[in-house]
Amino acid sequence: MADPLPLNTPGAPGPRHRDAIEQIKQALGDKGWSQDPSVLAPLLVDTRDYYHGKAAILARPETTEQVAEVLKICHEAGIPVTPQGGNTSRVGSATPDESGAQVLLSLARMNRVLEIDPVDYTMTVEAGCVLQDVQNKAAAADRLFPLSLGAEGSCMIGGNIASNAGGINVLRYGNTRDLVLGLEVVTADGQIWNGLRRLRKDNTGYDLKHLFIGSEGTLGVITKAVLKLFPLPKEKATALCALRDLDACLELLTRARAASGDALSSFELLAGITLNFAYRHIDTAKRALGEEYDWQVLLEFSGLEAGDMMNQAMETLLEQAFEDGLVIDAVIAQSEQQRADIWFLREAIVEAQLKEGASIKHDVSVPVSRVPEFIRRSNAALEEMIEGVRPYPFGHVGDGNIHYNVSPPVGASDAEFVAWKERINETVHRITADLEGSISAEHGVGQLKRDELPLYKSALELEMMRKVKQALDPIGLMNPGKVLKDG
Ligand SMILES: Cc1cc2nc3c(=O)[nH]c(=O)nc-3n(C[C@H](O)[C@H](O)[C@H](O)COP(=O)(O)OP(=O)(O)OC[C@H]3O[C@@H](n4cnc5c(N)ncnc54)[C@H](O)[C@@H]3O)c2cc1C
């Protein structure tokens, strides 16, 4: 076992590094690697264009054994490895550093669905399967794999697991952590751990898979997974409604869970300003409600029976909520196209906010009951800081997860606004912590929030995290500099 290379020393990497890269090429064969700058370029920058890296080589293994071989070679030579799936991370977790010495390990060629077991309600997949393909293959077998998020056309299941992704169905089905029964992992020193169990109950000591779920590639490489499947919903009732005020969202959420027999699968809060961004900037975004309203909610019931039970439950819920003054306007989708149009509004926000100009983003969670308080306090604190600032909170409020994003006052310069970033982040995160929340609800830590972590986790918690890292990756070769600063 070698010490890590002195990566920041001029002249490094040296001959040992070059030999190791040659060994990797041999182990993977011609199709299994690339050093072509045009192939590497898009993989060396994150989706938000915040982080830019370099890599000595792109390794594209096709099998678990090849992943193990690459990690063994890197371990011997002390070369750090950045695992990458679809490279959709929102926190710079899949971008290598700028040394040019790291191996960028793409799982993209490991994209086979190995088995679907309708009796066990499980699906065994390789880590490079694109999430949408996983959903489609499950649906073709009359089963549901419920993880769903904006990047599903390109993110990969290994990346989802390593990020413990959330998305729009967490309320009913949980985060990725709740959807994984077993994992196969290649350890930092190149050993293969076969933990591909499909058991619903396994009480044999520490549940090691959970260490790798959400570890952002810092502990090992996930190569295969056994995923949990569910009955495929046969009926969906989808509505967009305008709320009396922000507090009404909690009351509506409680009622919606009861009215649907806990078949509420999504409950997305949308500040009116976010929808206005979508209507203004995205041609295909169709106005769903006639007027502008400050607070709107997109909610969806997913029923297991074909028919219109869910639709009826939605109508009853909204009629009653309307009578009680909780909801002031609403539309229930009458066709699959209308449903898609409503969901499109939610998804269009990401692109619309880019077109609106600079924005400062937060992916936070608080206990569900404190969401209105969080939004009110944050709005007030930011307004005090910058007059006319435009917060536009939206997101998975049924899970207490708010994407609390902030645009500059109308007419203000983007550059001047962005200079406030640190103070705005600190203010929003301080309020989050004060309400017993988390500064990263679903996007992870990566590089973006790494340096803030010590402010919000106890010394003991950080120490335990470091010990886990030390135990599984003693020379710190797995995705260094992500999650833990000194990891
Ligand atoms: C438009 C958009 C919308 C999004 N919406 C949501 C949302 O609603 N909810 C949500 O939770 N997230 C959301 N995200 C973030 C999303 O969850 C993550 O980007 C995604 O899960 C990462 O998958 P990936 O394959 O792209 O992984 P990458 O970005 O390639 O990697 C992410 C991390 O996982 C590690 N990694 C990747 N593959 C492996 C592997 N096989 N083994 C070990 N480590 C690995 C990487 O090193 C990195 O640390 C969104 C992202 C975008 C771009």
Side-chain angles (χ1 to χ4, degrees), residues 47 82-90 92-95 105 107 127-128 147-152 154-168 175-176 212 215-218 220-223 346 350 363 396 401 403 441-443 446 478-479 482:
T47 40
T82 301
Q84 193 177 84
N87 193 25
T88 66
S89 166
R90 309 298 276 163
S93 61
T95 313
L105 181 75
L107 278 295
L147 181 65
S148 179
L149 45 93
E152 63 198 22
S154 54
C155 63
M156 296 174 190
I157 197 70
N160 302 143
I161 295 171
S163 314
N164 185 28
I168 56 172
N175 290 295
T176 304
F212 295 97
S215 66
E216 300 184 35
T218 62
V221 177
I222 297 158
T223 43
R346 165 68 179 85
V350 176
D363 160 45
H396 323 297
N401 175 193
H403 297 306
E442 58 176 10
H443 291 168
M478 292 307 310
N479 211 4
K482 316 292 164 51

Side-chain angles (χ1 to χ4, degrees), residues 258-318:
S260 63
D262 225 2
L264 177 66
S265 46
S266 300
F267 194 89
E268 302 280 309
L269 179 72
L270 305 163
I273 179 176
T274 55
L275 290 171
N276 289 342
F277 286 175
Y279 298 138
R280 191 177 314 148
H281 297 295
I282 310 290
D283 291 343
T284 41
K286 294 184 192 145
R287 191 175 280 281
L289 296 175
E291 291 183 42
E292 289 187 10
Y293 297 102
D294 285 348
W295 297 106
Q296 303 185 28
V297 161
L298 190 173
L299 68 165
E300 185 161 274
F301 296 167
S302 302
L304 299 181
E305 309 268 333
D308 73 342
M309 227 166 75
M310 289 292 115
N311 230 25
Q312 280 179 23
M314 184 70 85
E315 272 176 26
T316 310
L317 166 78
L318 294 182

Side-chain angles (χ1 to χ4, degrees), residues 438-472:
S438 164
I439 64 161
S440 181
E442 58 176 10
H443 291 168
V445 177
Q447 306 182 58
L448 187 71
K449 293 183 179 168
R450 181 196 63 190
D451 295 347
E452 266 190 280
L453 214 55
L455 302 175
Y456 300 103
K457 282 204 184 280
S458 70
L460 177 60
E461 201 168 350
L462 284 168
E463 186 52 26
M464 289 192 286
M465 284 172 69
R466 274 191 211 100
K467 282 182 176 161
V468 170
K469 170 79 176 167
Q470 174 69 25
L472 294 179

Side-chain angles (χ1 to χ4, degrees), residues 13 17 21 34-35 40 54-58 79 100-104:
H17 185 277
I21 299 297
S34 177
Q35 288 177 313
L40 274 132
K54 292 182 186 150
I57 190 169
L58 169 68
I79 301 175
Q102 298 196 354
V103 169
L104 183 62

